[in-house]
Amino acid sequence: MAKAQASQNAQMDAIVALCKRRGFIFQSSEIYGGYNGFFDFGPLGVELKQNIKDAWWQDMVHRRDDIEGLDSSIIMSPKIWEASGHVGGFSDPMVDCKVSKMRYRADQLFFSPVVVNGEIIGYVSVLEDENMEAAAQAAAEKVKRKQGVQGELAPIELKDYTEADPSQYELIPSPATREPGSLTPPRDFNLMFETKVGALSDSTALAYLRPETAQGIFANYKNVVDTGRVKIPFGIAQIGKAFRNEITPRNFIFRSREFEQMEMEYFIAPDADWKSAHREWIDWCKNWLVSVGLPEEMLGEDVHPQEKLSHYSRGTTDITFRFPFGEQELWGIACRGNFDLTQHQEYSGKSMEIFDEAAKAKYVPHVVEPSLGVDRVLLAILTAAYTEDEIGGESRSLMKFHPRVAPYKIAVLPLLKNKPELVCRARTLYHKLQRKFNVFWDTSGAIGRRYRRMDEIGTPWCVTIDFDTVEKDGTVTLRDRDTTEQKRVTEEELLAFLDDQLF
Ligand code: GAP
């Protein structure tokens, strides 16, 4: 168990280090010591991110007849967030430690009574993670030893702090100090970032950075209906930044304070079978994740129990992914009923009804919402792609990115940099390929080292121009990243191959 955990931590550390070394992801404001919960994407990271967004947009919007795109503003009328319930309800219950000044999410702080011979002799607390059961059991044994109590220690039973009885708040030790008496009761903490709009700085100027892109879609639903040719069922998709003042940003870019979402609201008739629409979208999303390179066996489904559903949801299933730090939510697919549109209808006084030609009926449609974090799926793709293997007795680390999302699609390498005929021929091919793909040019170092550099940043193919290319038949060497196999192909065959692979 401890060994598996150590290897998972090592894998995560290796990925974080590679991201920095090769220019995928940097800590925000690094020169000032970093800024917790914010990240910057370097030259390779921005390509990877853009490719993920492009793949989603192509499949979700361009390749479907029933979905339209949208790009709404980040800051919108504060009334939108009142109507949506975010001003009143978008909060996590938080616990403060009055001594250490640490703040915890109540649903991530777990506690258990320490019971010996049927009597409670104290409490232990742990923060949520894979090994919290074992950690809590060890802490309970320590409490028993310290108190010198003889007898049988009952197995610990962990509950989260939201389930604590008020009489237990004073008895549960703070995870920071290990002493009881400093934890506050859970208090609601709104996750929206506030800002001021305009010259006045009173309460009338208060506005919010959007915590989800979805409300921009609901607020524009009527515009799309009135200006487009949509008919039920149809969807509106949007990619954009979202901001949440997360209390515990963690696991690298898994949970950050500024992130991007790819969301789609799929509008259906109120009497449509929402459960099958939900299932269809879960399957679509899973297939899409596999199509960008996530292994199916690393994906799972987490059906939210009725009592834990968000305020707007009638049913939510998360597609989960096995991250190195555990199986976690990747893509939430929620059935929001007609909650949002009805709220906006009420708060704005504008009708949100649509006339359904086929059914000859007017109604406020219901909605199924697949919502995916760009940064989170990027982290899943990075962790799934990260591979260590051995080639000819030499170890190598490589990123097995699906060609569709790989930052560079191909590298062009003249065999020798001091032979103008090779460099010139390679340069011509490089410019030809550049018109269609993001191509890497590299002349420095031995060819084997250049291949390794491309493996490490996940470039699926390398093409080498050698003397046979210029003196004989014009063929080039095409090398595959994963198998390291090489074959000679003509330039026409190379172009046809790339077109075929990079659909
Ligand atoms: N509109 C619904 C909505 O926003 P959510 O479950 O809060 O639902 C949807 O978020 C998705 O957005 C998550 O499944 C995750 O992929 C991503 N996400 C949410 N909070 C995030 C954060 N703090 N950092 C990175 N991604 C986040």
Side-chain angles (χ1 to χ4, degrees), residues 420-478:
E421 63 275 36
L422 296 186
V423 175
C424 184
R425 182 70 175 254
R427 202 80 195 155
T428 309
L429 178 61
Y430 171 65
H431 287 311
K432 198 186 263 182
L433 291 172
Q434 248 187 343
R435 274 187 248 141
K436 284 186 155 187
F437 314 109
N438 195 23
V439 191
F440 198 86
W441 170 258
D442 193 2
T443 58
S444 63
I447 196 74
R449 292 214 13 227
R450 281 186 266 166
Y451 285 154
R452 292 289 181 280
R453 277 205 289 266
M454 287 303 102
D455 294 343
E456 203 185 17
I457 63 168
T459 308
W461 303 285
C462 289
V463 60
T464 307
I465 283 73
D466 58 18
F467 291 104
D468 279 2
T469 319
V470 290
E471 289 169 5
K472 281 195 185 161
D473 52 8
T475 59
V476 295
T477 302
L478 178 63

Side-chain angles (χ1 to χ4, degrees), residues 19 22-26 39-49:
C19 281
R22 301 313 306 257
F24 281 95
I25 302 168
F26 309 119
F39 293 91
D40 297 336
F41 289 79
L44 290 180
V46 68
E47 295 294 337
L48 178 61
K49 204 177 190 199

Side-chain angles (χ1 to χ4, degrees), residues 86 90 211-215 244 246 253-263 265 304 310 312 318-319 329-332 334 336 369 371-377:
H86 285 82
F90 188 59
E212 62 170 16
T213 64
Q215 294 307 322
R244 295 182 191 178
E246 298 282 4
I253 56 170
F254 177 81
R255 181 180 294 124
S256 41
R257 290 182 166 131
E258 174 176 342
F259 55 101
E260 265 180 288
Q261 286 186 316
M262 304 193 278
E263 298 200 291
E265 305 300 329
H304 289 209
S310 316
Y312 51 72
D318 293 335
I319 297 177
E329 171 185 346
L330 175 59
W331 198 333
R336 296 176 80 123
E369 174 203 68
S371 171
L372 174 64
V374 179
D375 315 68
R376 200 170 282 189
V377 70

Side-chain angles (χ1 to χ4, degrees), residues 236-299:
I236 306 177
Q238 161 153 253
I239 300 179
K241 288 271 188 182
F243 304 82
R244 295 182 191 178
N245 196 4
E246 298 282 4
I247 302 311
T248 48
R250 60 178 179 164
N251 290 326
F252 198 31
I253 56 170
F254 177 81
R255 181 180 294 124
S256 41
R257 290 182 166 131
E258 174 176 342
F259 55 101
E260 265 180 288
Q261 286 186 316
M262 304 193 278
E263 298 200 291
M264 194 276 297
E265 305 300 329
Y266 199 68
F267 300 95
I268 57 175
D271 57 359
D273 178 358
W274 63 269
K275 285 191 176 155
S276 36
H278 193 205
R279 185 69 245 170
E280 275 169 34
W281 277 109
I282 298 167
D283 292 340
W284 189 96
C285 296
K286 266 190 161 171
N287 289 337
W288 188 82
L289 292 170
V290 173
S291 82
V292 292
L294 295 188
E296 200 169 349
E297 62 277 11
M298 293 178 87
L299 302 174

